[in-house]
Amino acid sequence: MTEVILQSILTCPKCGHKKEETMSTDSCQFFYQCESCHKVLKPKSGDCCVYCSYGSIKCPPIQKNQDCCKH
Ligand SMILES: [Zn+2]
């Protein structure tokens, strides 16, 4: 079994604010609002969720080598 880390530190690209968030294992988070500057973050192109673009740890499906946005 693969260890999946659920805590990821998101860094806001606008103001640099860092916040540790807990990811859910079964869905991707596409939008995230920075609590400091209130900018709504969206994934960069090619990334599936905000954690892959701005987090310290990629989202759980990516950690498990799964394609996370297939339903
Ligand atoms: Zn911010």
Side-chain angles (χ1 to χ4, degrees):
M1 250 178 75
T2 319
E3 286 265 327
V4 174
I5 301 157
L6 293 180
Q7 263 73 40
S8 184
I9 298 166
L10 278 168
T11 305
C12 172
K14 190 178 175 207
C15 71
H17 183 76
K18 288 183 169 63
K19 179 82 199 294
E20 186 179 89
E21 295 288 344
T22 303
M23 298 181 277
S24 75
T25 52
D26 54 1
S27 67
C28 278
Q29 189 170 346
F30 200 78
F31 296 106
Y32 176 82
Q33 188 178 35
C34 173
E35 66 173 19
S36 174
C37 68
H38 301 117
K39 180 181 168 61
V40 176
L41 308 183
K42 283 179 282 186
K44 295 172 191 164
S45 65
D47 284 336
C48 61
C49 66
V50 289
Y51 294 110
C52 292
S53 288
Y54 306 109
S56 58
I57 305 282
K58 301 218 182 269
C59 68
I62 296 291
Q63 292 180 45
K64 288 186 280 184
N65 288 318
Q66 290 168 4
D67 203 344
C68 69
C69 289
K70 279 183 184 153
H71 297 283

